[in-house]
Amino acid sequence: MTTLARTPHHRVQIATQPRVTIRANRRWLWVGLWAVLLVIFLIRIGIGSVNIPLDDMLRVLMGESASKASWTTIVRDIRLPRAITALLAGASLGVAGLMLQTFFRNPLAGADVLGITSGASLGVALVVLSTSTIGGTLIAGAGLMSDMSLAGAALMGATGTFLLIMLMARTIQSQTTLLILGMMLAGLTSALVSLLMYFAIPDQINAFVRWTFGSFDGTTWSELAVFAPCVVIGLALALLCIKPLNALLLGEAYARSMGVRVGRIRLMVISITALLVGSITAFCGPIGFIGIAVPHVCRSLFRTTDHRILIPATMGVGGMVALIAALIAQVPNSQTILPLNPIMALLGSPVVIWVIWRGRGGGRVFGG
């Protein structure tokens, strides 16, 4: 038998199923989640333009050498940093989307909701699209248009947007108003990028469009050493927000009655989101749909809105989705690499459609 309890802001379903059974089911879900994640991670390392046997791949991962020297180089210096990048990117974008959906109480809030991604795109556009033909050739020849320079431009753009959002957050108390202003800021930066593209030459437009496709394949160990600590710090800080986010599920008034300082948690959510999204966008490009779709997948799998479960689950499922997309993008036994964002759209759009369809009747924001 099932009863329904109503709160001022949403409906919570309370099932009389024994708690032991629920915990047992979740335990198996956790085991399955991490096992599948490990398998997909190994598949991503082993499959590509050159397929590497499992025993050779495992030897390289354990610090030994494969039967062919080229296989050792491929696994250790090329595929392993790319797989780690995909894992970190998926986990970061998923957690950022989860925090924003909870804080703004909007099921379609994603990583670009505050304009952080658009700000990063503007930074790259200013570098790539505003250079003259001769200047662009000289910069490219000097090596200044490397991946690190684009990452620096993206990080500066994301940081500038973040500082502007922080300034607005200190003076605006309404989450809805802040969300709308973030969307308007994203529209403003997108308009500036469009103007730069209009006046740019075809080669510059092509370079920028390739960056907007997103990719996990351009990351080296040196670049990973720069952004991985930022991602790990951001994910650790997200774990500290579990209790305030759970309180916010019942609305601001309830959260304040529980001692949550809503203004402080607002700044924390924006800061953590900017750190995670800005770092990934700087080195991988603007990656879409993970932040929107993955939190809903986790809510449905674990049948809960408890962030003690959702945050680690979102890390795992987000990493899994990113690795699957990277596998699809790298056509096996071929040098062809497909653009990442269209694949993300193919994977994420059905989930977003399902979310809208599922809530069409009662207008529910979050599933229980």
Side-chain angles (χ1 to χ4, degrees), residues 68-79:
K68 292 184 179 181
S70 59
W71 288 355
T72 302
T73 302
I74 291 173
V75 171
R76 184 179 57 201
D77 298 333
I78 299 176
R79 293 186 183 174

Side-chain angles (χ1 to χ4, degrees), residues 15 135 172 195 203 214 233:
I172 296 173
L195 287 174
D203 288 343
I233 291 172

Side-chain angles (χ1 to χ4, degrees), residues 15-28:
T16 59
Q17 184 180 6
R19 186 172 298 179
V20 175
T21 303
I22 296 175
R23 289 180 177 176
N25 292 339
R26 284 179 181 167
R27 189 180 301 115
W28 285 110

Side-chain angles (χ1 to χ4, degrees), residues 104 165 168-169 172 174-182 266 270:
F104 288 113
I165 290 292
M168 292 190 295
I172 296 173
S174 171
Q175 276 96 319
T176 302
T177 304
L178 186 61
L179 177 63
I180 294 173
L181 287 175
R266 177 191 292 115
I270 294 173

Side-chain angles (χ1 to χ4, degrees), residues 145-232:
M145 287 291 289
S146 63
D147 291 338
M148 286 296 288
S149 66
L150 293 182
L155 199 56
M156 290 180 63
T159 302
T161 308
F162 161 69
L163 293 176
L164 185 57
I165 290 292
M166 288 286 285
L167 181 63
M168 292 190 295
R170 293 180 64 90
T171 57
I172 296 173
Q173 300 300 319
S174 171
Q175 276 96 319
T176 302
T177 304
L178 186 61
L179 177 63
I180 294 173
L181 287 175
M183 294 172 64
M184 293 301 101
L185 184 60
L188 177 62
T189 54
S190 297
L192 294 174
V193 170
S194 298
L195 287 174
L196 288 173
M197 292 181 68
Y198 181 80
F199 291 104
I201 61 176
D203 288 343
Q204 294 170 329
I205 296 175
N206 182 58
F208 178 74
V209 169
R210 286 183 175 274
W211 179 81
T212 61
F213 283 156
S215 176
F216 301 136
D217 293 339
T219 308
T220 62
W221 283 115
S222 59
E223 294 172 353
L224 194 62
V226 174
F227 83 87
C230 298
V231 169
V232 172

Side-chain angles (χ1 to χ4, degrees), residues 173 175 247 251-263 266:
Q173 300 300 319
Q175 276 96 319
E252 286 189 38
Y254 176 81
R256 287 192 176 94
S257 70
M258 296 297 292
V260 175
R261 301 179 66 175
V262 177
R266 177 191 292 115

